[in-house]
Amino acid sequence: AGSTTGLEVSGFVSGSEVLGVTGSFSGTVTADRFMGSQLTMVPFNYFVSSVHSSELYIPHGGSQVEGTSDQPYHFMLAPYDGKVRRLSVYYQTGDPGDLTARVRKAAAPFDLDDADDIVQAETISSAVDDTAYFFDFSASFSKGDAVALTLEAASHATNCYVVGCIAVEYDTTT
């Protein structure tokens, strides 16, 4: 066993070239940190009890409180540069109709409710309840930005649970 700049070698590795060195090798290469692109999932769920057809911020960090204004429990503070890649969503009851998802970002002081903060918006027409929907994004943000997602269900009029997941890709080299 040995180590080279943060890598520990133990177990089994074989090949004619390992870490840029040609030769015969055996052992296992492990690393304590991967540098590069990493995908993170952020699950959410909340109960819509009023303002059903308004643009609602998706809550994060254990909160189940949606709202029409940006609050600290509605955004993620980006630890790296990255992109929002996908949003999945499901409405338990009541057809949401035209369903618009928006990605918003803002640097300090983290005011996310201005029209200029919308990085990308996607709409699915005539969405119905009890169906999973997927929004694909390429919305970029920088380390230190506040990032929020909102959903607006144009014709939703029923109290219901909303469930989904946000896929965020971080560039851990930044």
Side-chain angles (χ1 to χ4, degrees), residues 30-95:
T30 59
D32 64 346
R33 184 168 179 224
F34 174 80
M35 300 297 289
S37 179
Q38 291 193 15
L39 196 61
T40 300
M41 301 302 158
V42 182
F44 65 88
N45 64 75
Y46 59 92
F47 186 75
V48 179
S49 60
S50 63
V51 294
H52 302 98
S53 60
S54 296
E55 180 181 12
L56 299 175
Y57 286 80
I58 296 173
H60 298 284
S63 172
Q64 293 183 322
V65 180
E66 89 293 348
T68 56
S69 64
D70 57 327
Q71 297 296 324
Y73 48 83
H74 291 144
F75 64 79
M76 301 173 281
L77 191 58
Y80 301 101
D81 293 352
K83 294 181 181 185
V84 175
R85 287 300 193 178
R86 177 173 283 178
L87 168 71
S88 64
V89 66
Y90 152 87
Y91 280 72
Q92 176 200 23
T93 54
D95 296 344

Side-chain angles (χ1 to χ4, degrees), residues 108-145:
F110 310 129
D111 182 14
L112 289 157
D113 59 2
D114 298 329
D116 293 345
D117 297 329
I118 298 171
V119 180
Q120 190 172 355
E122 300 292 333
T123 301
I124 293 175
S125 299
S126 304
V128 296
D129 62 4
D130 294 324
T131 303
Y133 292 99
F134 303 92
F135 296 88
D136 289 321
F137 294 109
S138 59
S140 296
F141 54 83
S142 298
K143 176 175 60 175
D145 283 345

